[in-house]
Amino acid sequence: MRKKETITSLQAAKGSRKLVMITAYDALFASLFSESADMILVGDSLNMSFLGEPDTLSATLDQMIYHTRAVCNGAPESFVICDMPFGSVNTHHDALANAVEVFRRTRADAIKIEGGKERAPLIKHLTQNAIAVMGHVGLTPQSVRSEGGYKVKGRSKEDFDRVVEDALSIEAAGAFALVVEGVTPELGRAVTEAVSIPVIGIGAGSETDGQVLVWSDMLGLFEAFKPKFVKEYLQGAALVKEAVKNYAQEVQEGKFPTEEHTYQ
Ligand code: KIV
């Protein structure tokens, strides 16, 4: 069994080993991922791949707590991060109350908050109250409706400078690490070089301190759409469909169960 990561060990990794983060939404898959991943993120992406909603915006705090609890149960030796859903951290008061609720009802190690410089005072308030916070800059999926789509960041100088400034502000507010999503590889590198905390990339090139992928994407299970940055390490959907087809066929033909799967 691997040793559980801590904020100290994760921060010490910067510049010496690449960090691996993966999402999980339940105990079963979390237990399978815990051996190889340094961190498990209970992402609000679960609203899409688990609940079938078109975006992450309707995820609720109760939903996030339910899934985070399951992940902590399945992977007690993993460093687990709970994504704060849209609307749950709009004021200092709500953010602290909701973060405390996450820690009361789960064994999560940290929370993640989307947003740039404008979130820095709020993140400072949380970190000063003993809440470990991971930031999330660049493309922030919770802004999909206000921005009118998922827009890659860093193609204009204005964008580029703003995301670097966002990262610096979040670091100064006390975040222990950052996700940078949907940016050009140059911007991924610039953010990683600008801050001294670990930067975990998703669609941000290869020069960040680590990578994160959504589990159902990397296992090839989510068929609704496939972002460019996703690498499928398993043809999951095809394998699952084939297995269920075989099961259905054997039931229909009376070939399952045999004596081997029958009580004597
Ligand atoms: O919700 C999620 O899964 C995330 C990752 C894509 C970083 O925020």
Side-chain angles (χ1 to χ4, degrees):
M1 199 186 289
R2 58 179 289 157
K3 199 162 171 261
K4 181 170 173 161
E5 297 288 345
T6 62
I7 288 178
T8 311
S9 68
L10 293 167
Q11 292 190 326
K14 188 167 175 105
S16 59
R17 71 182 157 104
K18 290 271 192 183
L19 291 169
V20 179
M21 185 157 94
I22 188 166
T23 67
Y25 312 142
D26 64 62
L28 176 64
F29 277 95
S31 73
L32 299 177
F33 302 157
S34 62
E35 218 174 283
S36 304
D38 297 307
M39 291 173 271
I40 299 184
L41 169 68
V42 187
D44 61 357
S45 54
L46 64 82
N47 207 47
M48 297 167 77
S49 63
F50 196 86
L51 206 67
E53 294 285 341
D55 58 35
T56 61
L57 273 74
S58 56
T60 65
L61 189 68
D62 275 343
Q63 210 179 316
M64 296 312 300
I65 288 174
Y66 174 88
H67 288 279
T68 302
R69 194 166 168 182
V71 167
C72 292
N73 287 342
E77 301 304 324
S78 291
F79 189 97
V80 175
I81 301 144
C82 172
D83 218 356
M84 295 305 277
F86 182 68
S88 66
V89 291
N90 284 356
T91 64
H92 282 38
H93 175 271
D94 284 0
L96 186 55
N98 288 333
V100 167
E101 192 66 8
V102 169
F103 287 121
R104 280 205 181 121
R105 290 168 58 193
T106 78
R107 276 168 284 129
D109 297 281
I111 59 169
K112 177 168 82 59
I113 293 181
E114 286 187 18
K117 200 177 162 186
E118 73 290 349
R119 288 280 197 218
L122 187 132
I123 291 176
K124 188 166 185 189
H125 179 61
L126 294 176
T127 56
Q128 283 175 338
N129 281 283
I131 308 290
V133 179
M134 172 178 263
H136 184 154
V137 299
L139 186 160
T140 48
Q142 290 175 9
S143 309
V144 63
R145 295 190 202 167
S146 62
E147 292 190 1
Y150 297 105
K151 309 248 165 77
V152 172
K153 303 286 187 294
R155 290 186 176 138
S156 70
K157 174 155 170 36
E158 192 193 346
D159 243 18
F160 193 102
D161 293 346
R162 189 176 42 74
V163 175
V164 173
E165 204 184 327
D166 283 345
L168 286 166
S169 308
I170 303 297
E171 176 183 33
F176 74 95
L178 262 183
V179 165
V180 61
E181 175 167 0
V183 300
T184 60
E186 294 76 20
L187 180 51
R189 184 178 59 230
V191 167
T192 306
E193 286 172 355
V195 298
S196 56
I197 54 176
V199 175
I200 311 301
I202 175 160
S206 62
E207 293 185 61
T208 53
D209 298 309
Q211 297 289 329
V212 56
L213 281 177
V214 171
W215 74 279
S216 43
D217 288 341
M218 63 83 69
L219 293 181
L221 288 164
F222 189 60
E223 292 185 297
F225 65 89
K226 186 182 159 191
K228 181 175 165 61
F229 59 79
V230 170
K231 177 168 178 184
E232 291 182 350
Y233 288 84
L234 188 78
Q235 302 308 307
L239 288 172
V240 169
K241 283 181 193 172
E242 182 65 17
V244 178
K245 189 174 154 195
N246 290 341
Y247 163 61
Q249 202 172 331
E250 289 198 0
V251 169
Q252 286 151 359
E253 291 172 0
K255 290 184 179 160
F256 174 83
T258 56
E259 224 174 78
E260 191 196 345
H261 301 106
T262 306
Y263 292 114
Q264 300 306 322

